[in-house]
């Protein structure tokens, strides 16, 4: 090797080092939340992440304790005009009536089978509970899972003409990834059926079944005729994972208080309160549906009744403001709502 | 650089490569289960691990599905002469009677306070349930956790004169680590109190609270006078995580069927059956307590009644043999039981 070739080699290595250094810096500066506009919501998420993962911070959170919980309906995906699990229940009724013809003659199943939209709109909460009980229980866990897996990969939302799993909010998927990249375990804590959400949670949200907490019924262990054990879904509620049931469910299933919690309605109030009551840095956020054009508009911006259950009421909005929770405006904070938008 | 120095450099690199290769091989050959004697039990564990983590194996298990469940009492630590959580309940009675003096006058608390061993030995299961209910509920989750944390770091087992947490089985700690190193999520699935075990599970077993499934009561969300939310432990059972309750609890809390399950008694029968009913490679093991000298001897080897609950009965032993479950002989399979042995 002569001196000039040695110098050339050195220059090459030097240039490579600089490129590598630039590359690392460029990577570090990649925006983890590209679908978020700059503003207080995005800033709050970034600040929380920096504070809780910086070892020199007073509010550093040890990796083992990094838990973040997310409501699903209205927080991670579209919940209007009806929760997807209710759509599932309604759309399962014909198959159910085929298997049990006696159901076709009794309400509320008769109305659902009539496909009369006007009559269906008058179904009460009690009616819906009956339909959910009939379609979510009385079968083996395996059978239920197979039925949901089939529905979720074929059924479409009428307005968007998309699979329900395409109607997840891109900005929230980015928050989930950003949290996980920073060592947070992400959980769904949903009022919807736990077994229902577990069918697709890993594929859609990157959240494994064991990190889905939801409304759960009793399952019963038994044996088939050949001695094979199996679990049956019984029509008996074990955990109503709404309202106070959310922190109760978090204690049962996780056993740690979250450091971050995301919701969008009165059903999430207690989860956010419980999260906020912990020491150190805590992040509480509520998604406000104020974008009628790209998604839907409902909640305080639309002057809904003060106490309407299942939305971001004025009362909840006021609590959020008083307690320093961040209200996310879909309209202003999100430059993209769905991944299929361009 | 002259040819001889170049040759020297080559020789150095060659030698280094050999050392590195040897190092890698030496590392690969480090026994992950040093407290296990060679024999069918150890071989079954190693074979299971190789089969399920080898991508070319027909029985390869994707990392996300790698779940292993462990009973605690009698499987991970000593359960004789009484479960530790029952010892806790009994030893909490004096403090409880101090706070609620009326308890001192009623049974079974009166007997416990008498410290009369003969009378205490006659306490019925119903009596114990009352004592457990009184010491495990009726207080905030935080208060309970603090009380258990204090007890578990001070109370000692009378025979061994050691903290209960020192009486964990070294061979099982090795299995837990070996599984985790191979991408398995390890869970405790215990008939003991879920909240109780969660207090020390991470420190003692490396198992975080969210991976402890146990007998659980209802908790109730409420507010202190200053508005701070808190959870109260109610005297109402939610999940009896014994027998059929184990697979039911696994479904509720994990939502996946385990690939490996470890137990020691009739309380674990259904968990092992449920695990074994899955496809592919599954590992089911039962710890048999047959070492009166180093630990205790009870179970089929000692000719106990065929149906005695809470032990490895002859009936369970026969089911294990019929189904290819592995029975671990503490006496023969373990060269060391506790880490403090030398």
């Amino acid at each position: 090797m002569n001196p000039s070739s040695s110098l050339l080699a050195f220059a090459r290595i030097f240039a490579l080092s600089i490129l590598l250094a630039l590359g690392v810096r460029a990577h570090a500066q990649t925006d983890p939340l590209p679908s978020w506009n700059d503003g207080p919501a995005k800033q709050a998420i970034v600040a929380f992440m920096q504070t809780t993962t910086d070892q020199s911070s007073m509010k550093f959170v040890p990796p083992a304790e990094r838990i973040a919980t997310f409501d699903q309906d209205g927080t991670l995906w579209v919940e209007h005009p009806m929760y997807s699990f209710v759509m599932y229940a309604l759309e399962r009724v014909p198959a159910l009536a085929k298997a049990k013809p006696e159901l076709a003659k009794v309400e509320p199943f008769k109305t659902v089978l009539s496909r009369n939209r006007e009559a269906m709109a008058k179904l009460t909460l009690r009616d819906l509970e009956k339909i959910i009980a009939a379609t979510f229980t009385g079968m083996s866990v395996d059978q239920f899972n197979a039925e949901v897996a089939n529905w979720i990969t074929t059924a479409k939302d009428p307005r968007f003409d998309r699979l329900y799993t395409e109607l997840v909010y891109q900005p929230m998927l980015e928050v989930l990834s950003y949290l996980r990249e920073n060592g947070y375990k992400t959980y769904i804590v949903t009022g919807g059926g736990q077994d229902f959400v577990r069918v697709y949670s890993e594929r859609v949200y990157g959240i494994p079944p064991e990190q889905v907490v939801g409304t759960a019924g009793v399952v019963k262990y038994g044996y088939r005729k050949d001695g094979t054990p199996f679990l049956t879904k019984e029509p008996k509620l074990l955990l109503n994972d709404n309202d106070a049931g959310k922190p109760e469910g978090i204690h049962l299933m996780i056993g740690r208080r979250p450091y971050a919690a995301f919701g969008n309605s009165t059903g999430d109030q207690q989860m956010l309160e419980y999260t906020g009551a912990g020491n150190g840095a805590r992040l509480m956020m509520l998604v406000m549906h104020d974008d009628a054009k790209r998604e839907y508009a409902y909640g305080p911006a639309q002057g809904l009744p003060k106490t309407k259950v299942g939305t971001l009421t004025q009362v909840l909005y006021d609590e959020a403001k008083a307690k320093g929770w961040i209200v996310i405006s879909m309209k202003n904070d999100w430059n993209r709502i769905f991944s299929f938008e361009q």
Side-chain angles (χ1 to χ4, degrees), chain A:
Chain A
M1 200 180 270
N2 64 43
S4 71
S5 76
S6 160
L7 195 66
L8 189 65
F10 177 76
R12 275 189 188 136
I13 289 166
F14 186 66
L16 190 68
S17 309
I18 287 179
L19 284 171
L20 280 172
L22 286 174
V24 167
R25 180 164 298 189
H27 179 75
Q29 286 181 341
T30 299
D31 184 354
L33 303 171
S35 300
W36 292 72
N37 292 322
D38 279 328
K42 181 173 184 172
Q43 283 159 18
I45 299 168
V46 173
F48 169 81
M49 208 73 79
Q50 289 172 345
T51 305
T52 60
T53 60
D54 173 3
Q55 291 232 26
S56 68
S57 159
M58 291 285 287
K59 295 177 174 177
F60 175 75
V61 178
E65 292 174 25
R66 293 184 195 162
I67 301 283
T69 55
F70 291 78
D71 168 58
Q72 184 192 225
D73 297 299
T75 299
L76 293 178
W77 74 357
V78 173
E79 66 178 353
H80 261 232
M82 209 173 264
Y83 300 126
S84 301
F85 72 92
V86 178
M87 290 300 296
Y88 169 77
L90 292 171
E91 295 183 10
R92 278 295 303 164
V93 170
L96 193 68
K98 212 170 175 178
K100 298 178 186 174
E102 67 279 13
L103 275 185
K105 295 166 205 155
V106 296
E107 292 296 356
F109 305 97
K110 205 172 150 184
T111 294
V112 176
L113 290 167
S114 76
R115 292 173 181 267
N116 179 333
R117 279 176 179 267
E118 224 170 294
M120 280 177 71
K122 287 179 191 153
L123 289 173
T124 64
L125 193 63
R126 188 80 199 84
D127 290 331
L128 288 179
E129 282 174 4
K130 274 185 198 166
I131 296 163
I132 290 169
T135 52
F136 276 65
T137 68
M139 68 204 75
S140 75
V141 162
D142 290 341
Q143 191 188 338
F144 176 78
N145 288 351
E147 285 168 4
V148 175
N150 179 49
W151 184 84
I152 200 77
T153 49
T154 52
K156 287 189 172 179
D157 174 274
R159 170 177 161 190
F160 292 96
D161 194 31
R162 296 266 179 182
L163 296 176
Y164 291 99
T165 51
E166 290 180 271
L167 299 183
V168 297
Y169 305 137
Q170 179 61 26
M172 296 305 282
L173 292 181
E174 292 168 7
V175 173
L176 286 169
S177 295
Y178 186 33
L179 282 161
R180 289 195 289 259
E181 280 161 15
N182 282 282
Y184 277 85
K185 267 194 185 175
T186 53
Y187 282 80
I188 289 173
V189 178
T190 175
Q194 178 169 284
D195 284 350
F196 183 86
V197 178
R198 280 174 169 176
V199 170
Y200 57 82
S201 62
E202 189 147 33
R203 177 172 58 83
V204 174
Y205 303 115
I207 295 177
E210 60 269 28
Q211 286 165 223
V212 174
V213 180
T215 295
V218 169
V219 294
K220 200 175 166 197
Y221 183 83
Y223 302 91
R224 298 191 197 281
K225 278 177 192 165
D226 67 357
T228 314
F230 73 111
L231 296 169
T232 304
K233 288 172 71 69
E234 300 279 296
K236 194 181 164 196
L237 192 66
L238 193 69
L239 171 67
N240 181 0
D241 198 46
N242 273 307
D243 309 315
K246 289 210 175 190
E248 292 162 3
I250 287 169
H251 177 72
L252 174 68
M253 310 275 292
I254 310 176
R256 301 191 199 256
R257 190 193 302 263
Y259 275 85
F262 299 76
N264 77 301
S265 83
T266 52
D268 306 309
Q269 178 196 340
Q270 291 85 346
M271 175 169 75
L272 269 62
E273 288 172 350
Y274 179 64
T275 301
N279 296 327
R282 307 276 167 167
L283 180 66
M284 285 68 65
M285 301 191 91
L286 284 169
V287 175
M288 179 164 67
H289 295 261
D290 57 358
D291 194 329
K293 201 176 154 209
R294 294 187 298 171
E295 205 241 10
Y296 293 98
Y298 50 95
Q302 288 63 48
L304 279 179
K306 277 199 172 177
T307 53
K308 184 168 166 145
V309 170
T311 65
L312 176 51
T313 60
Q314 190 63 47
V315 171
L316 181 59
Y317 187 89
D318 293 344
E319 180 175 359
K321 291 293 164 187
K323 292 187 173 164
W325 304 349
I326 310 288
V327 176
I328 300 163
S329 160
M330 293 180 79
K331 194 172 173 180
N332 301 322
D333 286 317
W334 292 356
N335 61 52
R336 194 158 77 143
I337 294 184
F338 303 114
S339 67
F340 54 79
E341 282 172 31
Q342 266 320 326

